[in-house]
Amino acid sequence: MFTKAKNIDTTFRQFRLFCFLITCCSSAITCFTIYRSISVESSRNETVLILPTGKVVEAVTTDRKENLSAEIRDHIRTFHEYFFWLEPDDRLIQSRISRALYLADGSAKREYENLKESGFYTNIISGNVSQRITIDSIQVSNNGYPYTFRCFARLEITRPTTVALRNLVTEGRLREVKRSNLNSHGFLIENWSVTENRDISVKQR
């Protein structure tokens, strides 16, 4: 009688242990499934498919801090190319300068107005002059805010009889603004100034 009761008690304990193990395994599997589902969904939300020229391209979103230096440099490069890359075409000049002014504050507009008043753009058009800019390097200090920068570049000025090469250095700072179609990086250049703009060489064509 006692042996029978003991066997029942042992069987009950084994069954209870078995149920406990099954419950733990089920809970672990459920938690893992939930975790994997959240991870997959989060990864899917960071992926965007775009269709440039009819081809599917995957674009992945990242934290802005990961690409901050690259975005700053590209913003500065874009501004300088719009502002300094000129052809003897009034509409083209106005279009490029207009785009450049969306990327900077009134300091860039003042520089543009000074050049305009001095007859710089008129001389570009009447003299059939082409001006191109090559960015050598951009030094950015993004430790503090607003971010400061210094841009080193070369200007190649092609006239009917000569080709001049000039050294260009500019500096300023950037603050963050809302992104837009005309300012995709969401930065605004402030206190921008040209600190050096001198001839390196002049060659006959």
Side-chain angles (χ1 to χ4, degrees):
M1 183 87 174
F2 288 108
T3 303
K4 196 171 186 181
K6 188 176 181 181
N7 289 338
I8 293 174
D9 185 59
T10 302
T11 302
F12 177 73
R13 287 182 180 179
Q14 290 176 346
F15 180 75
R16 188 171 59 182
L17 178 62
F18 178 74
C19 289
F20 176 75
L21 292 175
I22 290 294
T23 303
C24 290
C25 290
S26 299
S27 299
I29 292 172
T30 302
C31 291
F32 179 75
T33 303
I34 293 172
Y35 169 76
R36 287 295 299 164
S37 298
I38 293 173
S39 297
V40 170
E41 183 65 19
S42 177
S43 176
R44 190 176 66 83
N45 287 339
E46 292 178 353
T47 304
V48 179
L49 298 178
I50 56 177
L51 293 168
T53 64
K55 296 181 180 179
V56 178
V57 178
E58 184 179 73
V60 180
T61 61
T62 58
D63 187 353
R64 185 174 194 180
K65 291 182 179 178
E66 295 178 12
N67 298 316
L68 183 62
S69 294
E71 283 204 65
I72 289 174
R73 285 183 171 84
D74 193 60
H75 183 89
I76 295 167
R77 182 185 301 276
T78 301
F79 166 76
H80 283 78
E81 287 178 352
Y82 279 143
F83 197 91
F84 289 105
W85 195 301
L86 305 172
E87 297 292 343
D89 183 322
D90 185 54
R91 288 186 179 180
L92 181 61
I93 290 173
Q94 293 300 321
S95 174
R96 295 185 70 84
I97 293 297
S98 177
R99 291 185 179 186
L101 295 181
Y102 277 107
L103 308 179
D105 69 352
S107 58
K109 188 174 182 180
R110 284 192 298 272
E111 184 69 25
Y112 162 68
E113 289 174 348
N114 290 338
L115 290 171
K116 188 176 181 180
E117 288 178 7
S118 68
F120 175 76
Y121 298 106
T122 302
N123 292 337
I124 289 281
I125 298 168
S126 62
N128 291 320
V129 179
S130 296
Q131 177 175 276
R132 297 189 176 188
I133 185 172
T134 302
I135 307 296
D136 292 328
S137 65
I138 301 172
Q139 295 178 353
V140 178
S141 175
N142 55 4
N143 295 326
Y145 183 82
Y147 316 115
T148 59
F149 73 88
R150 178 170 287 185
C151 178
F152 299 87
R154 286 174 291 118
L155 294 176
E156 184 181 82
I157 304 170
T158 304
R159 298 183 176 89
T161 57
T162 62
V163 177
L165 194 63
R166 299 182 67 85
N167 193 56
L168 178 71
V169 180
T170 70
E171 61 184 18
R173 65 185 188 186
L174 295 99
R175 67 177 172 91
E176 296 182 4
V177 295
K178 188 175 180 180
R179 295 177 190 262
S180 67
N181 291 335
L182 296 170
N183 189 342
S184 58
H185 292 299
F187 292 109
L188 190 71
I189 295 174
E190 298 181 321
N191 295 343
W192 179 68
S193 63
V194 177
T195 59
E196 184 178 320
N197 187 4
R198 61 179 178 83
D199 281 336
I200 299 174
S201 64
V202 179
K203 297 180 180 178
Q204 298 295 321
R205 294 186 64 191

